[in-house]
């Protein structure tokens, strides 16, 4: 069975500091993709970063980086230099080659950035 | 870039009535679209897979007669909540993968803006 686990219901971080949001996954499909989305209170799903199972290097997108440890089946999101606007829900998600593009989501982490 | 548009963003309806939510792919043809539901403070849960020209595939526990899905064209999928009840109040959001893309390859799965449904 495919599963995404996010064990941090809520996280606090001081403005301008870095924060790591944890995500572990489980799948038997050797080909998969891991996503992180940001969901503000408006509800929209904002794509942040993607890591493919065969990618050799960790993905980076601006202040976002993904710490991909394949053997541990973890794909933690690192946000550097946190900003007040980063306060939101963050979801880790996975899709596999066997799916048609549907995403399996974790329960999410609510990040609060303190001034 | 590819965009998925969802309408309406907000809808309030009376208990017992039906409400339709539209999901459109604006600059690509979406043979497959997905409908998710998100209850307050919970994660997104897949409700059904919408396939152009064929019947939708529903996840276990989702009533197909209550949540009617129509994917009559390559750019439009609709979700109709029939005989809505207050417990159907939720956030509904659609997504569409870009056809031909490597599954999960980067930003190739697009979400609509979502629809907040309140049944009173």
């Amino acid at each position: 069975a495919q599963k995404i686990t996010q064990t941090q219901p809520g996280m606090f971080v001081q403005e301008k500091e870095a924060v790591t949001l944890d995500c572990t996954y489980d799948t038997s499909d050797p080909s998969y993709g891991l996503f992180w989305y940001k969901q503000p209170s408006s509800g929209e799903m904002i794509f942040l970063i993607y890591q493919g199972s065969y990618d050799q290097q960790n993905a980076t997108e601006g202040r976002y980086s993904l710490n991909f440890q394949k053997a541990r089946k973890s794909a933690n999101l690192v946000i550097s230099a946190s900003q007040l606007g980063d306060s939101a829900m963050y979801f880790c998600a996975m899709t596999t080659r066997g799916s048609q593009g549907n995403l399996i989501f974790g329960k999410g982490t609510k990040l609060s950035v303190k001034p | 870039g590819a965009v998925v548009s969802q309408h309406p963003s907000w809808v309030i309806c009376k208990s017992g009535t039906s409400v339709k939510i539209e999901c459109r792919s604006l600059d690509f043809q979406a043979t497959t679209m997905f409908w998710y539901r998100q209850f307050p403070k919970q994660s997104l849960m897949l409700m059904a897979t919408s396939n152009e020209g064929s019947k939708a595939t529903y996840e276990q526990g989702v009533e197909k007669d209550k949540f009617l899905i129509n994917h009559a064209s390559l750019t439009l999928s609709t979700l109709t909540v029939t005989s809505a009840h207050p417990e159907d109040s939720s956030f509904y959001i659609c997504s569409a993968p870009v056809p031909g893309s490597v599954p999960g390859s980067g930003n190739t799965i697009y979400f609509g803006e979502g629809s907040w449904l309140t049944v009173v």
Side-chain angles (χ1 to χ4, degrees), chain A residues 33 35 37 39 41-45 47 50 91 95-97 99-103 105-108, chain B residues 32 34 36 38 42-44 46 49 51 91 93 95 97 103-109 111-113 116:
Chain A
F35 295 74
Y37 288 90
Q39 187 181 43
S41 56
S42 60
E44 60 183 312
M45 295 295 285
F47 167 76
Y50 163 83
F91 290 97
T95 188
T96 65
R97 182 175 55 187
S99 73
Q100 295 174 273
N102 72 67
L103 289 163
F105 286 88
K107 291 186 176 182
Chain B
T32 302
F34 300 98
Y36 297 85
Q38 185 180 27
Q42 293 190 24
S43 187
L44 281 74
L46 180 67
T49 301
N51 302 299
F91 181 67
I93 190 166
S95 77
S105 174
N107 191 15
T108 55
I109 298 177
F111 280 88
E113 300 92 335
W116 295 92

mmCIF file of all heavy atoms in Angstrom, chain A residues 33 35 37 39 41-45 47 50 91 95-97 99-103 105-108, chain B residues 32 34 36 38 42-44 46 49 51 91 93 95 97 103-109 111-113 116:
data_model
loop_
_atom_site.group_PDB
_atom_site.id
_atom_site.type_symbol
_atom_site.label_atom_id
_atom_site.label_comp_id
_atom_site.label_asym_id
_atom_site.label_seq_id
_atom_site.Cartn_x
_atom_site.Cartn_y
_atom_site.Cartn_z
ATOM 1 N N GLY A 33 7.055 9.868 -7.697
ATOM 2 C CA GLY A 33 7.407 11.275 -7.564
ATOM 3 C C GLY A 33 6.878 11.808 -6.247
ATOM 4 O O GLY A 33 5.800 11.433 -5.792
ATOM 5 N N PHE A 35 6.031 15.248 -3.981
ATOM 6 C CA PHE A 35 5.695 16.658 -4.106
ATOM 7 C C PHE A 35 5.530 17.283 -2.724
ATOM 8 O O PHE A 35 5.130 16.631 -1.769
ATOM 9 C CB PHE A 35 4.342 16.835 -4.815
ATOM 10 C CG PHE A 35 4.293 16.383 -6.243
ATOM 11 C CD1 PHE A 35 4.277 15.033 -6.559
ATOM 12 C CD2 PHE A 35 4.239 17.303 -7.262
ATOM 13 C CE1 PHE A 35 4.202 14.618 -7.885
ATOM 14 C CE2 PHE A 35 4.152 16.896 -8.594
ATOM 15 C CZ PHE A 35 4.138 15.558 -8.896
ATOM 16 N N TYR A 37 3.358 20.680 -1.346
ATOM 17 C CA TYR A 37 2.433 21.757 -1.659
ATOM 18 C C TYR A 37 2.224 22.625 -0.429
ATOM 19 O O TYR A 37 2.226 22.140 0.703
ATOM 20 C CB TYR A 37 1.065 21.207 -2.097
ATOM 21 C CG TYR A 37 1.051 20.570 -3.462
ATOM 22 C CD1 TYR A 37 1.313 19.212 -3.612
ATOM 23 C CD2 TYR A 37 0.784 21.316 -4.599
ATOM 24 C CE1 TYR A 37 1.294 18.614 -4.857
ATOM 25 C CE2 TYR A 37 0.766 20.727 -5.851
ATOM 26 C CZ TYR A 37 1.022 19.374 -5.977
ATOM 27 O OH TYR A 37 1.008 18.787 -7.217
ATOM 28 N N GLN A 39 -0.577 25.142 1.270
ATOM 29 C CA GLN A 39 -1.990 25.492 1.191
ATOM 30 C C GLN A 39 -2.302 26.615 2.181
ATOM 31 O O GLN A 39 -2.414 26.370 3.385
ATOM 32 C CB GLN A 39 -2.881 24.276 1.469
ATOM 33 C CG GLN A 39 -4.365 24.567 1.231
ATOM 34 C CD GLN A 39 -5.263 23.393 1.531
ATOM 35 O OE1 GLN A 39 -5.096 22.700 2.537
ATOM 36 N NE2 GLN A 39 -6.239 23.150 0.649
ATOM 37 N N SER A 41 -4.797 29.671 3.763
ATOM 38 C CA SER A 41 -6.174 29.572 4.249
ATOM 39 C C SER A 41 -7.195 29.680 3.110
ATOM 40 O O SER A 41 -8.338 29.246 3.260
ATOM 41 C CB SER A 41 -6.447 30.632 5.305
ATOM 42 O OG SER A 41 -6.174 31.918 4.794
ATOM 43 N N SER A 42 -6.807 30.245 1.993
ATOM 44 C CA SER A 42 -7.718 30.353 0.843
ATOM 45 C C SER A 42 -8.023 28.990 0.227
ATOM 46 O O SER A 42 -9.011 28.844 -0.491
ATOM 47 C CB SER A 42 -7.103 31.268 -0.223
ATOM 48 O OG SER A 42 -5.865 30.732 -0.672
ATOM 49 N N GLY A 43 -7.178 28.014 0.479
ATOM 50 C CA GLY A 43 -7.442 26.660 -0.002
ATOM 51 C C GLY A 43 -6.657 26.232 -1.225
ATOM 52 O O GLY A 43 -6.532 25.039 -1.489
ATOM 53 N N GLU A 44 -6.139 27.184 -1.985
ATOM 54 C CA GLU A 44 -5.426 26.784 -3.192
ATOM 55 C C GLU A 44 -4.219 25.936 -2.855
ATOM 56 O O GLU A 44 -3.643 26.050 -1.780
ATOM 57 C CB GLU A 44 -4.987 28.032 -3.980
ATOM 58 C CG GLU A 44 -4.082 28.932 -3.188
ATOM 59 C CD GLU A 44 -3.711 30.193 -3.936
ATOM 60 O OE1 GLU A 44 -3.324 30.105 -5.108
ATOM 61 O OE2 GLU A 44 -3.794 31.264 -3.315
ATOM 62 N N MET A 45 -3.868 25.073 -3.754
ATOM 63 C CA MET A 45 -2.717 24.201 -3.586
ATOM 64 C C MET A 45 -1.578 24.781 -4.416
ATOM 65 O O MET A 45 -1.633 24.789 -5.651
ATOM 66 C CB MET A 45 -3.038 22.774 -4.044
ATOM 67 C CG MET A 45 -4.106 22.107 -3.202
ATOM 68 S SD MET A 45 -3.595 21.846 -1.506
ATOM 69 C CE MET A 45 -2.476 20.469 -1.699
ATOM 70 N N PHE A 47 2.133 24.524 -5.685
ATOM 71 C CA PHE A 47 3.235 23.595 -5.878
ATOM 72 C C PHE A 47 4.544 24.246 -5.432
ATOM 73 O O PHE A 47 4.846 25.382 -5.796
ATOM 74 C CB PHE A 47 3.317 23.199 -7.353
ATOM 75 C CG PHE A 47 4.583 22.496 -7.736
ATOM 76 C CD1 PHE A 47 4.784 21.168 -7.398
ATOM 77 C CD2 PHE A 47 5.592 23.157 -8.419
ATOM 78 C CE1 PHE A 47 5.953 20.517 -7.748
ATOM 79 C CE2 PHE A 47 6.763 22.513 -8.778
ATOM 80 C CZ PHE A 47 6.945 21.192 -8.440
ATOM 81 N N TYR A 50 9.472 19.308 -6.315
ATOM 82 C CA TYR A 50 9.246 17.931 -6.740
ATOM 83 C C TYR A 50 10.561 17.158 -6.726
ATOM 84 O O TYR A 50 11.628 17.705 -7.056
ATOM 85 C CB TYR A 50 8.669 17.918 -8.157
ATOM 86 C CG TYR A 50 8.782 16.584 -8.845
ATOM 87 C CD1 TYR A 50 7.845 15.590 -8.624
ATOM 88 C CD2 TYR A 50 9.846 16.309 -9.704
ATOM 89 C CE1 TYR A 50 7.953 14.360 -9.237
ATOM 90 C CE2 TYR A 50 9.963 15.075 -10.326
ATOM 91 C CZ TYR A 50 9.007 14.112 -10.090
ATOM 92 O OH TYR A 50 9.114 12.895 -10.691
ATOM 93 N N PHE A 91 1.696 20.196 2.672
ATOM 94 C CA PHE A 91 1.374 18.800 2.420
ATOM 95 C C PHE A 91 2.463 18.140 1.582
ATOM 96 O O PHE A 91 2.896 18.681 0.565
ATOM 97 C CB PHE A 91 0.041 18.666 1.680
ATOM 98 C CG PHE A 91 -1.161 19.017 2.511
ATOM 99 C CD1 PHE A 91 -1.731 20.274 2.434
ATOM 100 C CD2 PHE A 91 -1.705 18.072 3.376
ATOM 101 C CE1 PHE A 91 -2.846 20.594 3.207
ATOM 102 C CE2 PHE A 91 -2.818 18.382 4.144
ATOM 103 C CZ PHE A 91 -3.377 19.644 4.066
ATOM 104 N N THR A 95 2.985 10.445 -6.103
ATOM 105 C CA THR A 95 2.311 9.766 -7.189
ATOM 106 C C THR A 95 3.264 8.702 -7.704
ATOM 107 O O THR A 95 4.481 8.815 -7.528
ATOM 108 C CB THR A 95 1.890 10.728 -8.307
ATOM 109 O OG1 THR A 95 1.077 10.033 -9.250
ATOM 110 C CG2 THR A 95 3.095 11.302 -9.035
ATOM 111 N N THR A 96 2.734 7.678 -8.296
ATOM 112 C CA THR A 96 3.572 6.593 -8.779
ATOM 113 C C THR A 96 3.301 6.354 -10.253
ATOM 114 O O THR A 96 2.296 6.820 -10.803
ATOM 115 C CB THR A 96 3.315 5.291 -8.019
ATOM 116 O OG1 THR A 96 1.975 4.860 -8.280
ATOM 117 C CG2 THR A 96 3.516 5.483 -6.521
ATOM 118 N N ARG A 97 4.194 5.609 -10.881
ATOM 119 C CA ARG A 97 4.018 5.302 -12.293
ATOM 120 C C ARG A 97 2.752 4.492 -12.505
ATOM 121 O O ARG A 97 2.117 4.583 -13.534
ATOM 122 C CB ARG A 97 5.229 4.526 -12.811
ATOM 123 C CG ARG A 97 5.172 4.182 -14.296
ATOM 124 C CD ARG A 97 6.451 3.534 -14.748
ATOM 125 N NE ARG A 97 6.786 2.371 -13.956
ATOM 126 C CZ ARG A 97 7.930 1.707 -14.068
ATOM 127 N NH1 ARG A 97 8.840 2.121 -14.924
ATOM 128 N NH2 ARG A 97 8.168 0.666 -13.311
ATOM 129 N N SER A 99 -0.022 4.888 -11.055
ATOM 130 C CA SER A 99 -1.232 5.707 -10.951
ATOM 131 C C SER A 99 -1.382 6.519 -12.223
ATOM 132 O O SER A 99 -0.511 6.516 -13.083
ATOM 133 C CB SER A 99 -1.138 6.629 -9.733
ATOM 134 O OG SER A 99 -0.218 7.665 -9.971
ATOM 135 N N GLN A 100 -2.481 7.212 -12.328
ATOM 136 C CA GLN A 100 -2.702 8.043 -13.516
ATOM 137 C C GLN A 100 -2.325 9.493 -13.256
ATOM 138 O O GLN A 100 -2.580 10.347 -14.075
ATOM 139 C CB GLN A 100 -4.174 7.965 -13.928
ATOM 140 C CG GLN A 100 -4.617 6.585 -14.374
ATOM 141 C CD GLN A 100 -6.114 6.560 -14.631
ATOM 142 O OE1 GLN A 100 -6.916 6.339 -13.724
ATOM 143 N NE2 GLN A 100 -6.497 6.800 -15.857
ATOM 144 N N GLY A 101 -1.727 9.729 -12.139
ATOM 145 C CA GLY A 101 -1.405 11.103 -11.772
ATOM 146 C C GLY A 101 -2.155 11.552 -10.535
ATOM 147 O O GLY A 101 -2.086 12.714 -10.146
ATOM 148 N N ASN A 102 -2.905 10.625 -9.904
ATOM 149 C CA ASN A 102 -3.543 11.046 -8.662
ATOM 150 C C ASN A 102 -2.498 11.063 -7.556
ATOM 151 O O ASN A 102 -1.495 10.345 -7.605
ATOM 152 C CB ASN A 102 -4.739 10.161 -8.312
ATOM 153 C CG ASN A 102 -4.346 8.782 -7.838
ATOM 154 O OD1 ASN A 102 -3.763 8.615 -6.773
ATOM 155 N ND2 ASN A 102 -4.662 7.768 -8.620
ATOM 156 N N LEU A 103 -2.717 11.897 -6.595
ATOM 157 C CA LEU A 103 -1.760 12.121 -5.525
ATOM 158 C C LEU A 103 -2.285 11.553 -4.207
ATOM 159 O O LEU A 103 -3.459 11.669 -3.891
ATOM 160 C CB LEU A 103 -1.491 13.618 -5.354
ATOM 161 C CG LEU A 103 -0.683 14.273 -6.467
ATOM 162 C CD1 LEU A 103 -0.834 15.784 -6.417
ATOM 163 C CD2 LEU A 103 0.786 13.892 -6.361
ATOM 164 N N PHE A 105 -1.830 12.093 -0.307
ATOM 165 C CA PHE A 105 -1.364 13.167 0.549
ATOM 166 C C PHE A 105 -1.127 12.695 1.974
ATOM 167 O O PHE A 105 -1.794 11.794 2.483
ATOM 168 C CB PHE A 105 -2.403 14.295 0.590
ATOM 169 C CG PHE A 105 -2.464 15.108 -0.658
ATOM 170 C CD1 PHE A 105 -3.285 14.729 -1.707
ATOM 171 C CD2 PHE A 105 -1.699 16.257 -0.792
ATOM 172 C CE1 PHE A 105 -3.343 15.469 -2.872
ATOM 173 C CE2 PHE A 105 -1.748 17.016 -1.950
ATOM 174 C CZ PHE A 105 -2.576 16.616 -2.993
ATOM 175 N N GLY A 106 -0.165 13.348 2.620
ATOM 176 C CA GLY A 106 -0.016 13.194 4.052
ATOM 177 C C GLY A 106 -1.041 14.064 4.766
ATOM 178 O O GLY A 106 -1.812 14.785 4.127
ATOM 179 N N LYS A 107 -1.026 14.019 6.075
ATOM 180 C CA LYS A 107 -2.014 14.762 6.858
ATOM 181 C C LYS A 107 -1.697 16.244 6.958
ATOM 182 O O LYS A 107 -2.533 17.034 7.388
ATOM 183 C CB LYS A 107 -2.152 14.153 8.248
ATOM 184 C CG LYS A 107 -2.793 12.785 8.236
ATOM 185 C CD LYS A 107 -3.057 12.271 9.642
ATOM 186 C CE LYS A 107 -3.798 10.934 9.579
ATOM 187 N NZ LYS A 107 -4.122 10.421 10.936
ATOM 188 N N GLY A 108 -0.487 16.590 6.589
ATOM 189 C CA GLY A 108 -0.123 17.996 6.576
ATOM 190 C C GLY A 108 0.529 18.471 7.863
ATOM 191 O O GLY A 108 0.386 17.870 8.937
ATOM 192 N N THR B 32 -7.805 12.854 -18.156
ATOM 193 C CA THR B 32 -8.085 12.397 -16.796
ATOM 194 C C THR B 32 -8.050 13.585 -15.851
ATOM 195 O O THR B 32 -7.157 14.418 -15.935
ATOM 196 C CB THR B 32 -7.058 11.353 -16.343
ATOM 197 O OG1 THR B 32 -7.070 10.245 -17.239
ATOM 198 C CG2 THR B 32 -7.365 10.860 -14.927
ATOM 199 N N PHE B 34 -8.960 14.531 -11.532
ATOM 200 C CA PHE B 34 -9.203 13.936 -10.221
ATOM 201 C C PHE B 34 -9.981 14.907 -9.351
ATOM 202 O O PHE B 34 -9.748 16.117 -9.389
ATOM 203 C CB PHE B 34 -7.874 13.592 -9.544
ATOM 204 C CG PHE B 34 -7.044 12.620 -10.327
ATOM 205 C CD1 PHE B 34 -6.013 13.061 -11.131
ATOM 206 C CD2 PHE B 34 -7.305 11.261 -10.262
ATOM 207 C CE1 PHE B 34 -5.240 12.169 -11.867
ATOM 208 C CE2 PHE B 34 -6.552 10.366 -10.996
ATOM 209 C CZ PHE B 34 -5.523 10.817 -11.807
ATOM 210 N N TYR B 36 -10.932 15.753 -5.406
ATOM 211 C CA TYR B 36 -10.565 15.527 -4.016
ATOM 212 C C TYR B 36 -11.546 16.278 -3.115
ATOM 213 O O TYR B 36 -12.125 17.289 -3.494
ATOM 214 C CB TYR B 36 -9.155 16.045 -3.724
ATOM 215 C CG TYR B 36 -8.042 15.373 -4.484
ATOM 216 C CD1 TYR B 36 -7.696 15.785 -5.773
ATOM 217 C CD2 TYR B 36 -7.306 14.338 -3.918
ATOM 218 C CE1 TYR B 36 -6.667 15.177 -6.475
ATOM 219 C CE2 TYR B 36 -6.263 13.729 -4.606
ATOM 220 C CZ TYR B 36 -5.962 14.154 -5.875
ATOM 221 O OH TYR B 36 -4.937 13.558 -6.565
ATOM 222 N N GLN B 38 -11.758 17.801 0.946
ATOM 223 C CA GLN B 38 -10.959 18.120 2.122
ATOM 224 C C GLN B 38 -11.868 18.691 3.198
ATOM 225 O O GLN B 38 -12.401 19.803 3.057
ATOM 226 C CB GLN B 38 -9.860 19.130 1.786
ATOM 227 C CG GLN B 38 -8.925 19.417 2.933
ATOM 228 C CD GLN B 38 -7.852 20.435 2.567
ATOM 229 O OE1 GLN B 38 -8.044 21.275 1.690
ATOM 230 N NE2 GLN B 38 -6.724 20.379 3.245
ATOM 231 N N GLN B 42 -8.242 18.706 7.770
ATOM 232 C CA GLN B 42 -7.845 17.372 7.342
ATOM 233 C C GLN B 42 -7.125 17.450 6.001
ATOM 234 O O GLN B 42 -6.977 18.536 5.420
ATOM 235 C CB GLN B 42 -9.068 16.453 7.241
ATOM 236 C CG GLN B 42 -9.722 16.160 8.573
ATOM 237 C CD GLN B 42 -10.774 15.077 8.478
ATOM 238 O OE1 GLN B 42 -10.757 14.248 7.579
ATOM 239 N NE2 GLN B 42 -11.710 15.099 9.417
ATOM 240 N N SER B 43 -6.659 16.318 5.558
ATOM 241 C CA SER B 43 -5.917 16.280 4.303
ATOM 242 C C SER B 43 -6.852 16.114 3.115
ATOM 243 O O SER B 43 -8.065 15.942 3.276
ATOM 244 C CB SER B 43 -4.919 15.131 4.347
ATOM 245 O OG SER B 43 -4.077 15.165 3.222
ATOM 246 N N LEU B 44 -6.295 16.182 1.942
ATOM 247 C CA LEU B 44 -7.072 15.942 0.730
ATOM 248 C C LEU B 44 -7.243 14.441 0.533
ATOM 249 O O LEU B 44 -6.265 13.683 0.603
ATOM 250 C CB LEU B 44 -6.354 16.526 -0.499
ATOM 251 C CG LEU B 44 -6.464 18.021 -0.734
ATOM 252 C CD1 LEU B 44 -5.605 18.802 0.236
ATOM 253 C CD2 LEU B 44 -6.082 18.356 -2.172
ATOM 254 N N LEU B 46 -8.777 11.599 -2.150
ATOM 255 C CA LEU B 46 -9.277 11.372 -3.502
ATOM 256 C C LEU B 46 -10.691 10.804 -3.444
ATOM 257 O O LEU B 46 -10.949 9.831 -2.736
ATOM 258 C CB LEU B 46 -8.355 10.401 -4.235
ATOM 259 C CG LEU B 46 -8.740 10.057 -5.676
ATOM 260 C CD1 LEU B 46 -8.602 11.291 -6.572
ATOM 261 C CD2 LEU B 46 -7.871 8.922 -6.205
ATOM 262 N N THR B 49 -11.829 9.436 -9.926
ATOM 263 C CA THR B 49 -11.049 9.725 -11.129
ATOM 264 C C THR B 49 -12.031 9.917 -12.271
ATOM 265 O O THR B 49 -12.872 9.040 -12.534
ATOM 266 C CB THR B 49 -10.099 8.566 -11.445
ATOM 267 O OG1 THR B 49 -9.231 8.362 -10.326
ATOM 268 C CG2 THR B 49 -9.278 8.866 -12.690
ATOM 269 N N ASN B 51 -12.698 10.268 -16.152
ATOM 270 C CA ASN B 51 -12.099 9.879 -17.423
ATOM 271 C C ASN B 51 -12.962 10.368 -18.583
ATOM 272 O O ASN B 51 -14.161 10.096 -18.625
ATOM 273 C CB ASN B 51 -11.968 8.357 -17.502
ATOM 274 C CG ASN B 51 -11.139 7.788 -16.383
ATOM 275 O OD1 ASN B 51 -9.967 8.106 -16.248
ATOM 276 N ND2 ASN B 51 -11.743 6.934 -15.573
ATOM 277 N N PHE B 91 -14.483 21.322 1.289
ATOM 278 C CA PHE B 91 -13.692 21.961 0.237
ATOM 279 C C PHE B 91 -13.459 20.902 -0.829
ATOM 280 O O PHE B 91 -12.944 19.817 -0.525
ATOM 281 C CB PHE B 91 -12.377 22.469 0.824
ATOM 282 C CG PHE B 91 -11.476 23.174 -0.157
ATOM 283 C CD1 PHE B 91 -11.849 24.388 -0.713
ATOM 284 C CD2 PHE B 91 -10.249 22.628 -0.501
ATOM 285 C CE1 PHE B 91 -11.009 25.054 -1.606
ATOM 286 C CE2 PHE B 91 -9.399 23.282 -1.398
ATOM 287 C CZ PHE B 91 -9.785 24.495 -1.949
ATOM 288 N N ILE B 93 -11.738 20.046 -4.556
ATOM 289 C CA ILE B 93 -10.712 20.567 -5.456
ATOM 290 C C ILE B 93 -10.385 19.523 -6.505
ATOM 291 O O ILE B 93 -10.374 18.322 -6.222
ATOM 292 C CB ILE B 93 -9.455 21.011 -4.663
ATOM 293 C CG1 ILE B 93 -8.490 21.779 -5.551
ATOM 294 C CG2 ILE B 93 -8.778 19.832 -3.982
ATOM 295 C CD1 ILE B 93 -7.406 22.525 -4.757
ATOM 296 N N SER B 95 -7.887 18.217 -9.859
ATOM 297 C CA SER B 95 -6.538 18.307 -10.416
ATOM 298 C C SER B 95 -6.504 17.595 -11.752
ATOM 299 O O SER B 95 -7.352 16.738 -12.043
ATOM 300 C CB SER B 95 -5.486 17.697 -9.480
ATOM 301 O OG SER B 95 -5.520 16.289 -9.539
ATOM 302 N N PRO B 97 -3.454 15.995 -14.490
ATOM 303 C CA PRO B 97 -2.081 15.824 -14.935
ATOM 304 C C PRO B 97 -1.973 16.162 -16.414
ATOM 305 O O PRO B 97 -2.903 15.927 -17.186
ATOM 306 C CB PRO B 97 -1.805 14.347 -14.687
ATOM 307 C CG PRO B 97 -3.151 13.694 -14.798
ATOM 308 C CD PRO B 97 -4.163 14.714 -14.370
ATOM 309 N N PRO B 103 4.921 10.584 -15.185
ATOM 310 C CA PRO B 103 4.114 10.719 -13.969
ATOM 311 C C PRO B 103 4.858 11.398 -12.855
ATOM 312 O O PRO B 103 5.931 10.970 -12.441
ATOM 313 C CB PRO B 103 3.781 9.255 -13.616
ATOM 314 C CG PRO B 103 3.796 8.568 -14.919
ATOM 315 C CD PRO B 103 4.900 9.232 -15.717
ATOM 316 N N GLY B 104 4.304 12.479 -12.403
ATOM 317 C CA GLY B 104 4.914 13.181 -11.299
ATOM 318 C C GLY B 104 6.128 13.977 -11.674
ATOM 319 O O GLY B 104 6.859 14.426 -10.807
ATOM 320 N N SER B 105 6.348 14.187 -12.960
ATOM 321 C CA SER B 105 7.549 14.910 -13.351
ATOM 322 C C SER B 105 7.352 16.399 -13.150
ATOM 323 O O SER B 105 6.735 17.079 -13.960
ATOM 324 C CB SER B 105 7.872 14.622 -14.818
ATOM 325 O OG SER B 105 8.955 15.415 -15.257
ATOM 326 N N GLY B 106 7.888 16.888 -12.069
ATOM 327 C CA GLY B 106 7.826 18.314 -11.841
ATOM 328 C C GLY B 106 6.416 18.849 -11.764
ATOM 329 O O GLY B 106 5.492 18.153 -11.339
ATOM 330 N N ASN B 107 6.239 20.055 -12.174
ATOM 331 C CA ASN B 107 4.962 20.736 -12.045
ATOM 332 C C ASN B 107 4.057 20.343 -13.192
ATOM 333 O O ASN B 107 3.688 21.155 -14.025
ATOM 334 C CB ASN B 107 5.172 22.235 -11.999
ATOM 335 C CG ASN B 107 3.895 22.952 -11.595
ATOM 336 O OD1 ASN B 107 2.966 22.337 -11.088
ATOM 337 N ND2 ASN B 107 3.841 24.237 -11.828
ATOM 338 N N THR B 108 3.709 19.055 -13.274
ATOM 339 C CA THR B 108 2.855 18.593 -14.352
ATOM 340 C C THR B 108 1.515 18.116 -13.836
ATOM 341 O O THR B 108 0.770 17.460 -14.538
ATOM 342 C CB THR B 108 3.539 17.461 -15.134
ATOM 343 O OG1 THR B 108 3.897 16.424 -14.224
ATOM 344 C CG2 THR B 108 4.752 17.971 -15.856
ATOM 345 N N ILE B 109 1.241 18.381 -12.592
ATOM 346 C CA ILE B 109 -0.072 18.105 -12.027
ATOM 347 C C ILE B 109 -0.621 19.435 -11.553
ATOM 348 O O ILE B 109 -0.062 20.067 -10.659
ATOM 349 C CB ILE B 109 0.006 17.096 -10.864
ATOM 350 C CG1 ILE B 109 0.549 15.756 -11.364
ATOM 351 C CG2 ILE B 109 -1.363 16.919 -10.227
ATOM 352 C CD1 ILE B 109 0.737 14.724 -10.273
ATOM 353 N N PHE B 111 -3.691 21.962 -10.154
ATOM 354 C CA PHE B 111 -4.892 22.006 -9.334
ATOM 355 C C PHE B 111 -5.765 23.193 -9.715
ATOM 356 O O PHE B 111 -5.265 24.256 -10.077
ATOM 357 C CB PHE B 111 -4.526 22.125 -7.845
ATOM 358 C CG PHE B 111 -4.119 20.823 -7.219
ATOM 359 C CD1 PHE B 111 -2.802 20.404 -7.253
ATOM 360 C CD2 PHE B 111 -5.066 20.008 -6.597
ATOM 361 C CE1 PHE B 111 -2.424 19.196 -6.681
ATOM 362 C CE2 PHE B 111 -4.697 18.804 -6.028
ATOM 363 C CZ PHE B 111 -3.377 18.403 -6.071
ATOM 364 N N GLY B 112 -7.057 22.979 -9.595
ATOM 365 C CA GLY B 112 -7.963 24.104 -9.672
ATOM 366 C C GLY B 112 -7.869 24.908 -8.383
ATOM 367 O O GLY B 112 -7.149 24.549 -7.453
ATOM 368 N N GLU B 113 -8.619 25.991 -8.346
ATOM 369 C CA GLU B 113 -8.554 26.873 -7.177
ATOM 370 C C GLU B 113 -9.320 26.307 -5.987
ATOM 371 O O GLU B 113 -9.156 26.770 -4.868
ATOM 372 C CB GLU B 113 -9.133 28.253 -7.528
ATOM 373 C CG GLU B 113 -8.401 28.953 -8.658
ATOM 374 C CD GLU B 113 -8.993 28.662 -10.017
ATOM 375 O OE1 GLU B 113 -9.646 27.599 -10.187
ATOM 376 O OE2 GLU B 113 -8.807 29.488 -10.935
ATOM 377 N N TRP B 116 -15.439 25.935 -2.133
ATOM 378 C CA TRP B 116 -15.946 25.768 -0.771
ATOM 379 C C TRP B 116 -17.461 25.596 -0.852
ATOM 380 O O TRP B 116 -18.165 26.484 -1.305
ATOM 381 C CB TRP B 116 -15.611 27.002 0.071
ATOM 382 C CG TRP B 116 -14.149 27.210 0.290
ATOM 383 C CD1 TRP B 116 -13.294 27.960 -0.464
ATOM 384 C CD2 TRP B 116 -13.356 26.673 1.352
ATOM 385 N NE1 TRP B 116 -12.020 27.919 0.041
ATOM 386 C CE2 TRP B 116 -12.030 27.139 1.169
ATOM 387 C CE3 TRP B 116 -13.640 25.856 2.457
ATOM 388 C CZ2 TRP B 116 -10.988 26.806 2.040
ATOM 389 C CZ3 TRP B 116 -12.605 25.523 3.315
ATOM 390 C CH2 TRP B 116 -11.292 25.995 3.098
#
